[in-house]
Amino acid sequence: MEDACDALDRLDAEIAECRRCPRLVAWREEVAATKRAAFRDEEYWGRPVPGFGSHRAPIAILGLAPAAHGGNRTGRIFTGDRSGDVLFAALHRAGLANQPTSTSRDDGLTLISTRIFSAVRCAPPDNKPTPLERDTCAPFLHREMREIAPDLRVVVALGAFAWAAFWPAIRAVYGVAPARKVPFGHGALWRTDGAPALLGCYHVSQQNTFTGRLTPGMLDEILARAKQLAGLT
C-alpha cells in the first residue's frame, strides 16, 4: 500500500503538470515570460504550485492561490512575496517554521507540524479565479486533505475564498457538513466531531497587512489558537 509521503509526492508532481484551465495556463505562462523587472534575471516556475510542508501535519493553512511573482515565480506557495514574509515570520514566532523567511525552494525552510496549500494552484489574473477554475482545481485540495487526514486537526483558512473552499473539501473527505452556512470572520471557529476544526483568519495580503486590518499580533493569536486546537500546546 502506498504511504502518505509517497502519495503526496505523486500528487505534487501531478499538480505541477496540470493544464486543465486554459485561462490560468495562459496567464501563468505569460507572467513567467514577461517577468517583473526586479526578477528579470530569474527563471520563473510558471506552473501550478503544489502544497508545502509536513506530510504528517495536524495544522493546515489554506490560501487562495499563488501570487503571480511569488509562488508562480519560485514554485513554492507564499514564497518570494510580501504575503509570505508576513506568514512565515509568524509561523517562526509560533514555533511552526525553522526560519522566519521564505525566499526560494532551496532556502532551507522547514515547516513543523504544518502544511500549506491553496484552493487554486495557479496564479489567477487579478487574484480572482473563476468559479469554474475553483471547481476544476478542487479535487487536488480534496486529495491532499485526504492524505493528511489521519493527523489533521485544524485548518486555518486565509480569507473568505479559502473559507468557502473548505466546505466542499470537508464533505468530500470526511462526509460531514454544517447544518447551515457558517459566515467567515477573523477568529471564526467551526468544529464538529470526526473532522478537523476550521479557523478563520484575514488573508496575509498587503491590502490587509499594510492597512492594519491584520496585524502581527492578530496573526500570532490565530496561530496560537491553531496550535491549541491541534493539541500542540
Side-chain angles (χ1 to χ4, degrees):
M1 180 179 293
E2 185 178 46
D3 65 22
C5 293
D6 291 339
L8 281 172
D9 289 342
R10 187 165 55 83
L11 175 60
D12 289 349
E14 184 178 334
I15 289 170
E17 298 301 323
C18 182
R19 300 183 64 85
R20 296 174 189 171
C21 298
R23 187 182 78 115
L24 296 187
V25 171
W27 172 250
R28 78 193 192 206
E29 293 181 354
E30 177 185 344
V31 169
T34 58
K35 305 181 181 182
R36 178 174 284 173
F39 308 122
R40 62 181 178 275
D41 296 328
E42 295 187 25
E43 181 178 351
Y44 274 54
W45 172 258
R47 293 189 279 163
V49 180
F52 169 66
S54 175
H55 287 182
R56 301 192 63 180
I59 298 174
I61 297 176
L62 177 60
L64 191 164
H69 301 282
N72 188 59
R73 173 174 61 89
T74 63
R76 193 168 71 192
I77 192 68
F78 283 113
T79 295
D81 61 25
R82 294 291 182 87
S83 296
D85 291 344
V86 172
L87 178 60
F88 286 105
L91 289 169
H92 183 253
R93 292 194 299 271
L96 298 174
N98 70 325
Q99 62 189 43
T101 57
S102 179
T103 57
S104 67
R105 294 197 307 278
D106 58 358
D107 61 8
L109 176 66
T110 300
L111 296 184
I112 301 161
S113 302
T114 305
R115 189 166 181 87
I116 301 177
F117 41 59
S118 55
V120 174
R121 304 304 172 109
C122 291
D126 300 319
N127 293 320
K128 293 180 180 179
T130 67
L132 178 59
E133 290 161 352
R134 175 201 62 202
D135 295 344
T136 300
C137 210
F140 288 139
L141 174 60
H142 301 177
R143 287 170 58 187
E144 194 156 2
M145 285 185 60
R146 189 172 290 114
E147 294 301 333
I148 63 174
D151 300 284
L152 186 59
R153 299 293 176 267
V154 57
V155 176
V156 178
L158 297 179
F161 189 97
W163 180 269
F166 173 84
W167 305 114
I170 207 73
R171 285 194 296 270
V173 178
Y174 293 88
V176 299
R180 59 184 63 87
K181 184 177 181 180
V182 182
F184 169 75
H186 184 81
L189 176 64
W190 174 82
R191 304 177 74 175
T192 192
D193 293 337
L198 176 65
L199 182 60
C201 179
Y202 291 144
H203 196 280
V204 289
S205 65
Q206 292 183 60
Q207 181 179 359
N208 287 337
T209 58
F210 282 11
T211 61
R213 188 178 191 221
L214 177 66
T215 66
M218 291 168 64
L219 189 51
D220 290 346
E221 290 174 357
I222 290 292
L223 293 179
R225 181 67 169 133
K227 289 180 67 175
Q228 181 185 48
L229 291 165
L232 298 179
T233 58

